[in-house]
Amino acid sequence: MKRKLIAAIGVAGMMVGLAACGDGDKGGDKAGADVKELTVWLTVDAQNNWPELVKAADAAVVKKHPGIKIKHEYYGWPDKNAKLDAVLATDKAPDVVEMGNTEMLGYMVKGAFAEVDPKQFDQSDAWLDGLKESVTYDGKTYGVPYYAGGRVGTWRKDIAAEVGVKATPKTYAELTAALDKIQKKKGAKFSAWYQPSPDWYAAMSFVYGAGGSIAENEGGQWKANLSSPESIKGLNEYKSILDKYMHGDKTKDESDRHIVFGQGNSAAIFGAAWEGGAAAAPETDKVGKLADKLETFVMPGPSGQPLPVFLGGSDLAIPVKSKAQGVAAEWINAFTGAQGQKGLLAKGNLPNNKTDLATLKNDPKTVVPATAAESNWFVPMAPGWGQVEKAQTLKTMLQEIGTGKKSVEEAAKAADEAIDKVINTK
C-alpha cells in the first residue's frame, strides 16, 4: 500500500451544505438519487487486479438507477493525491475516491469528506480496528474500509531446497541461516532477500518489533521517536538485512518488487500478501511455473516473536462537494459488501472485517496472512501525520541508511527533527 497525503486544504473552500451520505434508508436514496452520472476514482490496483469487482458494483447501481453513467478514473499512488487536492478546490470533485488508510486523517481534519452513517454499510459493526480507526475523526465516520493488507514472508522453496532447507523458517535464526546459505550459493549479484531500502512499511516492522516507534503521544503532543534506543536497534537490524541480502538498486522503492521477484532475481521477499501471486502471474513469471515454487510464512522477528506487520489497506470516501452522495454510498456498499469482500479475498487481500478474517485462519491457503495480521502496528494518528508522509521523511531516512549516505543514528536524528516540525500541525 503506497500512501501519500495532502499538505493543506482550505476547509471553507470545501465545506458545503450537503447532508451526509444518505439520509434515511440504507443506500442514501434521498441524497442525489436522481443524478445521471457517478464518478469513481480508484487506484490502478483495482484496474489491474480486480476489474471484475468494479464491474459488479457498477451493475448493482445501474440496476437500481437505470440509465446512470458511471465513470471511472484510475491513478497510481504517487499521482492520485496531487490530482485530488487540485480538484477538491473546484466543483468537479469525484463522488467516490479511494484513499490509503494512512491518508484519511489529514483529509478528515481539513473537512474534505462527507460524514457517513456506518449502519448503511455491510459488516460495519465488525470492521477491523485499524481500518475503523482510519475513517474516524472526532467521533464521526468519514469513510468506509475497502480492504486490508498485511505482510507476509514469501520465498522460493526450490532455492531453499538447493541449500538443504526443506521447511519455511519458524524463527529469525532459522530465517537468516537459510538466507546466508542461499546468498553464498547464488553469489553477490543475487538478492537472497529482495528488500527495497525506502520501504518504510517493512522497516518500521523492525522498529516496532524492537519496542520502538515512529512517534509517541506525550501529554497530548506528539514527539518523534526514531532516535530512541529501541528504534535505533530496529533500524540497525533492518540495515543488516539490506547489507547482507539486498543486492539490487537500494534507491528504488517497492512498487516493482513483485516484478523483480517474478524475474527470478531473488529468493525471498517481505511484502503484501498479494505480491507473491502477482509475481507468479503469467505476464510477470519469467522463472516458469513460479506459483508451484512459492511458499508463504509468518515472518519471524529478531525479538523471538513474529515481526509485527503494518496493517495497511484502503478506504473509500465521498468528497463533501459530491452532488451524488447517496448513490456514491450505494456504490461503495456494493463494492465493499459481502460479495465484494469474497472477491477481494480471492485476490489475496485481507477483508475489511473481523468476521471474514476469522474464517481465513481455517483455510490452509489463507492462514498465514490472517495469522500475520494479528501482530500489527499502525501509523501515529497525529494531526500532522499526513505532512510527514507527503514529505517522504521515512523514505528519505531509509534510503540514506540503505545507501550508506548517513549512519543509522544520523539519519534517524534528521528524520525526528523533520517529523517534530509538522506532526502536531493540522
Side-chain angles (χ1 to χ4, degrees), residues 57 121-123 127 144-147 315-316 329-341 344 352-353 356:
F121 303 96
D122 294 349
Q123 298 179 301
W127 283 344
V144 177
Y146 168 12
Y147 66 91
D315 302 320
L316 296 175
E330 293 175 14
W331 191 92
I332 290 173
N333 194 46
F335 190 53
T336 65
Q339 290 303 312
Q341 292 303 305
L344 289 167
N352 67 0
N353 67 89
D356 287 332

Side-chain angles (χ1 to χ4, degrees), residues 116-135:
V116 300
D117 180 2
K119 294 180 181 179
Q120 293 181 319
F121 303 96
D122 294 349
Q123 298 179 301
S124 60
D125 57 343
W127 283 344
L128 294 178
D129 293 340
L131 295 185
K132 181 178 180 180
E133 185 177 3
S134 74
V135 298

